[in-house]
Amino acid sequence: MALNAMIHWGFMLRVDTPHTITQEGWKWLLSEARFPFNFDGEIFGLGFLLEDQLREFGFRGSEAGQEADFVDVDRVIHAASEAVNWLELVAVKPLVGGLKPFEAWKLKNSGVYDVATFDDQVVTKGTQVDWPPLIGKIY
């Protein structure tokens, strides 16, 4: 699956889970996907709480501890990356004028290279922005 953008807000849900997710669950989630602004192929950023519905679909919640499939990042903003072992908040640094620094959520150890800004602009690591591990401007 293509890895394309990082997400800024909401209720974060990882897609790659070892559990069986119902077909109804996948259909519903994909109907909510708005690439690249709330879905990047690896994680969903949903703007509303639906823990019970996600559990019915087969996703694990906070009862699974570090291995939970979803976490409310609005509620535990900087602690979310400690609540689950697959999510991290990164500081995005501009490499070109006209952009301000911001933070975005991403799946740890992913190949994500694009991020949507708060102005709905998609920018690329190494071209317009950078985040840890820093690579600098490559062209």
Side-chain angles (χ1 to χ4, degrees), residues 75-86:
R75 186 176 53 175
V76 289
I77 294 180
H78 290 284
S81 57
E82 296 169 16
V84 293
N85 60 9
W86 48 268

Side-chain angles (χ1 to χ4, degrees), residues 23 38 71 85 88 94 103 127 131:
Q23 185 175 15
N38 79 335
V71 63
N85 60 9
E88 66 182 330
E103 293 180 322
T127 303
W131 59 81

Side-chain angles (χ1 to χ4, degrees), residues 18-101:
H19 322 297
T20 301
I21 307 304
T22 67
Q23 185 175 15
E24 174 190 358
W26 286 123
K27 282 182 182 179
W28 183 84
L29 282 169
L30 292 174
S31 75
E32 294 295 315
R34 302 294 177 264
F35 175 82
F37 303 102
N38 79 335
F39 177 59
D40 69 2
E42 295 180 322
I43 57 176
F44 269 97
L46 301 169
F48 41 87
L49 298 176
L50 33 114
E51 291 185 42
D52 293 339
Q53 188 173 9
L54 290 172
R55 284 185 179 91
E56 287 176 21
F57 292 155
F59 292 99
R60 295 178 305 176
S62 58
E63 69 280 357
Q66 283 280 320
E67 294 295 321
D69 297 316
F70 57 85
V71 63
D72 180 1
V73 297
D74 286 340
R75 186 176 53 175
V76 289
I77 294 180
H78 290 284
S81 57
E82 296 169 16
V84 293
N85 60 9
W86 48 268
L87 186 67
E88 66 182 330
L89 183 64
V90 296
V92 180
K93 173 186 165 187
L95 296 175
V96 296
L99 295 174
K100 294 180 181 178

Side-chain angles (χ1 to χ4, degrees), residues 93-114:
K93 173 186 165 187
L95 296 175
V96 296
L99 295 174
K100 294 180 181 178
F102 60 92
E103 293 180 322
W105 293 100
K106 67 179 278 299
L107 189 72
K108 287 182 181 176
N109 303 316
S110 76
V112 169
Y113 295 105
D114 293 336

Side-chain angles (χ1 to χ4, degrees), residues 114-137:
D114 293 336
V115 60
T117 69
F118 291 105
D119 299 337
D120 294 338
Q121 179 183 6
V122 177
V123 292
T124 303
K125 181 175 181 161
T127 303
Q128 297 105 342
V129 295
D130 202 2
W131 59 81
L134 298 173
I135 62 171
K137 193 164 184 176

